[in-house]
Amino acid sequence: MIAIGFDPGTARLGYGVIESEPDPRAIDFGVIVTDAALPMAQRLLVIHEAVGTLIDRFRPTSVAVELLFFARNVTTAMTVGQARGVILLTAAERGIPVSEYTPSEVKQAVVGYGKADKRQIQEMVRIMLGLSTAPQPDDAADALAVAICHVQVAPFRARVEA
């Protein structure tokens, strides 16, 4: 299974592509950066095109996105929600199923503790994917963590739903 995980944002959107068989391994990861000087509609278009390019390039069997669980800053929450919507739309356009996970679920799946910090997540992602260094930047590490969570949790969810 090839999965793409996304850590949504409009300024920086993290992505991580992993293959889960036989053991999880990173195929690609990074961030999609949009220019703050652009109007929001144009920034969302940049995200749409970049996410579409990633899906077309890697042909994943699934997409995983971090859920917007809560936010102290309403403006930030709204822009993150817009980026999430673009990811969901782009995957749906291409017929790719999407799964969503809360930050706590991702941390629990990767670190074993739902309140893990960024450093712990990066180190466990590094270990689980056999990387020589922790993935940078944080957004990319978080996206890889979302993808790892998905390949671990999705088979269980499928059995429960059946």
Side-chain angles (χ1 to χ4, degrees):
M1 169 195 306
I2 293 178
I4 302 180
F6 289 102
D7 179 34
T10 52
R12 295 164 51 98
L13 186 147
Y15 69 89
V17 184
I18 68 169
E19 185 167 8
S20 64
E21 299 296 331
D23 292 316
R25 70 175 181 88
I27 298 173
D28 191 24
F29 58 90
V31 292
I32 298 164
V33 179
T34 65
D35 183 345
L38 290 174
M40 184 54 71
Q42 291 303 119
R43 293 174 84 179
L44 295 174
L45 179 60
V46 168
I47 291 169
H48 174 67
E49 291 172 348
V51 169
T53 298
L54 288 169
I55 291 172
D56 294 344
R57 178 176 172 201
F58 293 107
R59 307 238 181 251
T61 52
S62 56
V63 165
V65 183
E66 190 170 74
L67 273 169
L68 178 58
F69 192 60
F70 68 90
R72 293 182 184 136
N73 182 327
V74 174
T75 303
T76 301
M78 290 178 67
T79 61
V80 170
Q82 290 171 324
R84 277 181 34 76
V86 169
I87 295 165
L88 299 176
L89 170 66
T90 308
E93 280 180 333
R94 287 162 171 78
I96 307 296
V98 177
S99 295
E100 301 172 275
Y101 301 93
T102 65
S104 173
E105 287 176 306
V106 173
K107 292 172 183 179
Q108 181 69 37
V110 175
V111 180
Y113 176 60
K115 295 183 181 181
D117 64 31
K118 294 270 187 202
R119 186 187 55 74
Q120 291 171 309
I121 293 167
Q122 286 178 309
E123 183 59 14
M124 284 306 296
V125 166
R126 181 192 73 76
I127 291 167
M128 293 176 89
L129 297 177
L131 302 172
S132 58
T133 60
Q136 294 289 333
D138 290 353
D139 309 275
D142 289 348
L144 285 167
V146 171
I148 291 168
C149 173
H150 176 66
V151 299
Q152 291 180 347
V153 172
F156 175 75
R157 280 187 178 176
R159 284 193 305 262
V160 168
E161 291 171 3

